[in-house]
Amino acid sequence: MGGIVLIVLAVFAARRVWLGYPATGAEFAVLAPREEAFLQAAAEALFPPHADLPVSGGQADLPGYADRYLAVLPRRQRTLIRALFALFEHATLLWPGKGRGGFKRFSALSPEQRLGVLRDWQSSSLALRRLCLTALKAILILGYVGHPESLAALELAPWKIDSPRVEADFLYPPIGGHRDQISRVGEPLETAPTAPPLVPGLDQEAP
Amino acid sequence: MSSEARQDGEVRVFSDYTRDFEEDADVVVVGSGPSGSVVAYELAKAGHKVVLIEEGPPFTPQEFRADGNISMARTMREGGLRSTTGTFMPILQAICLGGGSLINSAMCVRPPAFIFDEWSTRYELDHTTRADLDPHYDAVSEFLGIAPTPEDVQGPRNLLFRQGCEALGIASEPVDRNVRGCRGSGECFSGCRARAKQSMDISYIPEAMKFGARVLTSLQVQGVLGEGRRVRGVEGRVVEPFSGRTSHAFRVRARWVVLAAGCMATPVLLQKSGNLANASGQVGQNLQFHPGSAVAGVFPESIDPIFGGTQSYQSLAFLEEGFKLETMWSAPAALAVRMPGVGAELVHRFGELPRTAIWDAIASTHRSLGTVKARFRSLNPVIRWTLHPEDVKVMLRSIHVLAQIFFAAGAEKIMPGVGGLPEEMHSREEAEVLRDYAIRPADLVTASSHVFCTTRMHGDPAQGVVDEEGRCHGYDNLYIADTGIFPRCPSVNPMLTVMALAHRQAQSLAERV
């Protein structure tokens, strides 16, 4: 009897964790389809369409952003971040969404249920839950607000800066490169840069 | 091992290492941050054969990334995700040529005399008064062109801080910085593309190389070679940038070893080297931070927050109460992380970013102590630290003062970021709740890049790791030159002080070597 219960639980767990995620065709260096589905669902809930910003979370390719971020993290930290995604995806077993089907994994909830779940994490009396939400938000906000269209709409687009050559630029090759890749073009700056202060609008990149 | 003959005064990068190798030097300096670079330069200038080792790679402007996550993952230890246990707090520590100077805001602040008086009396230090150190502060300041941030690159968000302080009668001042020709890009934290910030990689290190210093990057020191009262050098492995994969072995034999690997890495290295220099039992103990807490304020009109020095205005008026106030800017998306809420309310707050300034306080939390221990089979540390309830009150007091300054400067609302309190406050009266709130450590969102005391300086060898010259008690030729030697947190940004101490150490060492 115990064995049957274990088998049923294992099938349930496997089905919940691995099965039923749609193939989107997107290619990632790190992310699995289940993580892509979670991130897309979280992005849509966190950043709905709004008049102040031209793209919504659902349009900002945040799974792609998260994948690029994970790819440059050390292995241990990458594992922790992926565990965070899995936690949110399946913590609905402990803290379900409101209404019917609230125990489904996060990415299978309705948009209203997802927002409610995130609000629960935000207002939780457990500091650790609030902290986890802050960590998730931190990853996705950097991708969303850092999206070129978001920054342009907020008049916060990056500066156009042509870096002057300093002496040190003739010493260091590109990271991972060889010293024959050091560009010898131009003279090194001998004194302090003399370019004037930047001007918002004028010296920012065009959207 | 074979010996790779190299010319003096050269920098070596990851692709240069093709086999195991050994080097000889008078002095090997481990860590190229502000203190290690000063030591390397001063000793090379004095004619000594210096090898400067750095675990990270050199960065050029083409390598800087505006995205906060990606930038931190590339330039900081543990991908920018290092944190404390006990009281959770993210810790930001650099791994790149130049260390923290590449990605800090260039704030150069001399602590007032009472800080050093406290150091002297509590830690039996007879020659570490402000007057003792002033000549060394002066030398470093002159070398780096340290000067107050000029008015034309302050920008509205810094000047509003001054306006708020003036309205309340709080003393404030432009920040002295190691910057030449600032354009007000506010990009200090991701690397200065304008090449104005005089980080070590473009200032002290190239100058050290002119005097023959050899700079070996992408080398992870894994052990200090010790023998009785003397050390003989260091050894370790070549490490690939970002991936952390190690390959060829190296050894640098030296008559003098200076550890400037940082307040976390230095004690770990000593522990991994057979618990070196730890007769006092103080290696890795006494850990202190300057935890930072930030308040966001929204003004009625756009303040073009993207323009202006990253951290260019400050108030030292509350140092004796235990905190320092300063302005702050970062990648806009990174600052947006500060915004509370989810869904439409969160996105609405993003829309307010052009009208938002963020000011912060760093607290001198000397009652909050911790430890640093080597992680099993890793050079990354386990960091335990607990925020003391009295220090939490100091931090809340600093948030309250920042709220007052915001409203005095004309802000229409603030976001104090204190758990259990309203996300937004719309008047000074409303913000008075901050005055007496029964706050708990978990109510604060905090972070720190200022780390101290894990190899502290103490006149009594039984109570400290190094003496006033930074020499390890009980050792003839092993020195430590990073913020680990501070006996107590200094209450202000530590870069200039650690450089001044390094300058003094280097002068003393130059005579001995």
Side-chain angles (χ1 to χ4, degrees):
Chain A
M1 185 62 185
I4 293 172
V5 170
L6 278 178
I7 290 169
V8 169
L9 282 175
V11 169
F12 171 77
R15 191 161 166 251
R16 181 176 174 99
V17 175
W18 283 293
L19 302 181
Y21 287 103
T24 62
E27 289 187 11
F28 297 110
V30 178
L31 285 186
R34 60 183 181 280
E35 292 162 324
E36 179 193 6
F38 163 71
L39 287 166
Q40 188 64 21
E44 287 167 4
L46 277 170
F47 317 123
H50 193 281
D52 288 342
L53 288 165
V55 290
S56 69
Q59 298 167 320
D61 185 27
L62 295 186
Y65 171 81
D67 187 62
R68 291 191 293 279
Y69 173 48
L70 288 173
V72 294
L73 279 178
R75 186 186 302 172
R76 183 170 184 271
Q77 282 67 34
R78 188 187 308 160
T79 304
L80 286 171
I81 297 289
R82 298 181 81 180
L84 180 78
F85 297 159
L87 172 69
F88 274 92
E89 177 74 332
H90 297 293
T92 46
L93 285 170
L94 279 176
W95 300 291
K98 290 190 172 57
R100 196 169 175 189
F103 287 98
K104 290 180 185 173
R105 56 199 182 198
F106 182 89
S107 59
L109 298 176
S110 70
E112 295 75 23
Q113 285 175 313
R114 290 176 198 162
L115 188 60
V117 165
L118 293 176
R119 286 203 168 116
D120 282 350
W121 281 82
Q122 180 183 239
S123 59
S124 172
S125 57
L126 294 175
L128 189 60
R129 279 188 77 195
R130 297 198 303 273
L131 189 65
C132 286
L133 180 70
T134 302
L136 178 68
K137 277 175 64 181
I139 295 165
L140 294 178
I141 286 175
L142 275 151
Y144 178 61
V145 178
H147 190 283
E149 288 191 48
S150 300
L151 289 176
L154 295 170
E155 299 172 348
L156 297 171
W159 296 110
K160 290 182 289 188
I161 295 177
D162 292 324
S163 298
R165 300 295 299 271
V166 300
E167 206 171 21
D169 292 326
F170 294 83
L171 298 173
Y172 312 134
I175 295 173
H178 296 264
R179 61 186 66 252
D180 57 9
Q181 292 174 259
I182 299 172
S183 169
R184 304 287 170 188
V185 178
E187 292 297 316
L189 198 65
E190 288 181 356
T191 55
T194 52
L198 296 157
V199 179
L202 191 67
D203 291 322
Q204 288 178 267
E205 287 178 6
Chain B
M1 285 189 175
S2 66
S3 179
E4 287 191 341
R6 304 289 304 194
Q7 285 186 322
D8 281 356
E10 201 168 8
V11 62
R12 253 187 273 178
V13 297
F14 178 70
S15 61
D16 291 327
Y17 307 112
T18 54
R19 54 183 183 265
D20 296 351
F21 67 94
E22 292 187 359
E23 294 277 341
D24 289 298
D26 293 329
V27 185
V28 60
V29 182
V30 180
S32 70
S35 53
S37 296
V38 169
V39 172
Y41 167 74
E42 294 293 337
L43 292 176
K45 192 174 71 167
H48 302 298
K49 197 174 168 187
V50 174
V51 167
L52 175 63
I53 296 179
E54 169 55 49
E55 186 172 342
F59 279 71
T60 56
Q62 293 71 36
E63 307 285 352
F64 297 152
R65 298 289 181 269
D67 178 276
N69 275 331
I70 308 285
S71 175
M72 288 204 297
R74 288 162 61 88
T75 57
M76 290 186 182
R77 290 192 178 272
E78 301 188 62
L81 296 174
R82 178 171 279 183
S83 63
T84 55
T85 58
T87 303
F88 173 85
M89 182 167 68
I91 307 298
L92 307 175
Q93 293 193 286
I95 177 167
C96 49
L97 189 68
S101 69
L102 187 80
I103 48 170
N104 71 11
S105 57
M107 298 176 92
C108 295
V109 189
R110 300 187 191 199
F114 79 85
I115 301 288
F116 295 106
D117 294 343
E118 203 164 40
W119 286 16
S120 296
T121 51
R122 283 174 178 265
Y123 303 96
E124 302 177 25
L125 305 172
D126 298 329
H127 308 291
T128 310
T129 64
R130 169 68 187 265
D132 290 324
L133 289 180
D134 268 339
H136 305 285
Y137 279 118
D138 292 343
V140 173
S141 298
E142 188 180 346
F143 185 96
L144 291 175
I146 293 170
T149 308
E151 189 86 356
D152 64 350
V153 292
Q154 286 288 358
R157 64 183 150 72
N158 291 312
L159 296 176
L160 281 165
F161 177 83
R162 175 172 73 186
Q163 184 182 319
C165 287
E166 283 174 353
L168 295 173
I170 296 171
S172 65
E173 62 204 66
V175 173
D176 286 1
R177 301 182 305 162
N178 52 314
V179 171
R180 289 188 170 109
C182 179
R183 301 187 67 195
S185 72
E187 293 183 350
C188 289
F189 290 138
S190 55
C192 181
R193 286 189 293 153
R195 306 305 254 169
K197 181 167 64 170
Q198 298 301 296
S199 48
M200 300 303 108
D201 56 320
I202 67 169
S203 57
Y204 269 102
I205 293 172
E207 291 303 311
M209 289 168 64
K210 286 179 185 169
F211 289 107
R214 282 166 294 162
V215 181
L216 312 184
T217 66
S218 292
L219 295 187
Q220 183 184 68
V221 175
Q222 298 175 332
V224 180
L225 305 168
E227 201 173 76
R229 288 177 59 90
R230 295 191 64 80
V231 290
R232 291 180 286 109
V234 298
E235 62 182 3
R237 294 266 170 188
V238 172
V239 61
E240 186 180 49
F242 311 134
S243 76
R245 280 189 288 269
T246 55
S247 56
H248 308 292
F250 76 91
R251 180 176 295 163
V252 178
R253 289 181 296 263
R255 291 161 54 208
W256 303 81
V257 174
V258 180
L259 301 180
C263 192
M264 302 288 176
T266 291
V268 165
L269 191 53
L270 292 171
Q271 291 163 358
K272 292 275 186 186
S273 306
N275 214 14
L276 215 56
N278 196 22
S280 64
Q282 299 295 317
V283 170
Q285 303 294 309
N286 313 303
L287 172 66
Q288 294 182 30
F289 292 100
H290 284 160
S293 40
V295 176
V298 181
F299 290 86
E301 306 289 338
S302 172
I303 58 170
D304 284 326
I306 192 168
F307 174 69
T310 302
Q311 295 196 277
S312 298
Y313 235 89
Q314 66 183 4
S315 171
L316 307 178
F318 301 93
L319 287 187
E320 294 200 53
E321 280 192 52
F323 59 91
K324 169 182 180 281
L325 306 177
E326 52 199 31
T327 57
M328 191 174 84
W329 183 247
S330 181
L335 293 180
V337 170
R338 179 67 187 66
M339 301 298 173
V342 294
E345 58 175 339
L346 176 61
V347 182
H348 175 73
R349 287 186 176 123
F350 296 156
E352 295 173 336
L353 277 170
R355 297 188 285 129
T356 302
I358 296 197
W359 300 336
D360 73 283
I362 57 170
S364 184
T365 56
H366 56 81
R367 286 162 289 223
S368 306
L369 300 175
T371 60
V372 173
K373 283 191 179 148
R375 197 182 286 165
F376 180 62
R377 296 181 69 182
S378 167
L379 288 170
N380 287 320
V382 176
I383 310 160
R384 297 191 194 283
W385 178 75
T386 306
L387 189 50
H388 191 283
E390 290 302 313
D391 287 335
V392 180
K393 288 181 191 168
V394 171
M395 294 174 72
L396 183 67
R397 160 86 173 126
S398 71
I399 291 169
H400 180 235
V401 174
L402 283 174
Q404 290 178 313
I405 297 172
F406 264 118
F407 286 119
E412 63 182 25
K413 68 176 179 181
I414 62 152
M415 287 170 262
V418 177
L421 288 180
E423 289 171 348
E424 295 183 351
M425 297 176 181
H426 296 83
S427 67
R428 282 179 74 172
E429 294 70 32
E430 212 179 316
E432 281 304 294
V433 68
L434 291 162
R435 186 185 289 275
D436 301 315
Y437 182 58
I439 193 168
R440 302 162 301 166
D443 293 329
L444 286 172
V445 178
T446 185
S448 185
S449 56
H450 299 177
V451 196
F452 312 104
C453 307
T454 54
T455 52
R456 74 179 179 191
M457 183 166 35
H458 201 297
D460 178 0
Q463 297 185 65
V465 179
V466 300
D467 63 19
E468 280 183 89
E469 292 181 350
R471 184 165 57 166
C472 290
H473 288 300
Y475 284 80
D476 297 328
N477 62 342
L478 176 61
Y479 283 73
I480 299 176
D482 52 44
T483 57
I485 69 170
F486 286 30
R488 204 176 197 202
C489 49
S491 302
V492 300
N493 313 68
M495 180 173 71
L496 186 59
T497 297
V498 81
M499 294 175 86
L501 286 168
H503 186 267
R504 181 171 77 167
Q505 281 180 302
Q507 288 196 329
S508 153
L509 250 173
E511 289 171 15
R512 288 168 190 261
V513 175

